[in-house]
Amino acid sequence: MHDMKSSALTIRLDGDLDRQLAQVAKRTGRTRSEVVRDAVRRQLALAQFQDLRRRVMPLAEARGYVTDEDVFREIS
């Protein structure tokens, strides 16, 4: 656990999601809270990546980079 203060968050899960969460926690030997924290971290990282990509794409397109293949061709 980190030294920083933590806060509690109450969320409501439907039965199916609750069962899936319990299964993953049991299978991985983690608590439900640990699984949810990991899922939130991943979702926030994905959102940050998507935001960065949206901001960078116009600059990349202006330089002729339209697809991933354009980038790979340049760095290969």
Side-chain angles (χ1 to χ4, degrees), residues 52-66 71:
L52 179 61
R53 187 175 180 105
R54 264 193 302 277
R55 288 187 282 138
V56 168
M57 281 308 295
L59 302 172
E61 288 173 354
R63 291 179 170 246
Y65 299 108
V66 179
V71 175

Side-chain angles (χ1 to χ4, degrees), residues 58-74:
L59 302 172
E61 288 173 354
R63 291 179 170 246
Y65 299 108
V66 179
T67 66
D68 291 339
E69 287 76 21
D70 295 334
V71 175
F72 294 140
R73 188 171 34 256
E74 184 70 26

Side-chain angles (χ1 to χ4, degrees), residues 1-2 4 6 30 33-49:
M1 186 112 189
H2 295 88
M4 60 181 66
S6 62
R30 298 184 294 164
S33 290
E34 289 169 329
V35 173
V36 170
R37 276 192 297 272
D38 185 48
V40 169
R41 279 188 199 101
R42 289 172 185 261
Q43 188 59 40
L44 293 175
L46 178 60
Q48 289 174 327
F49 173 77

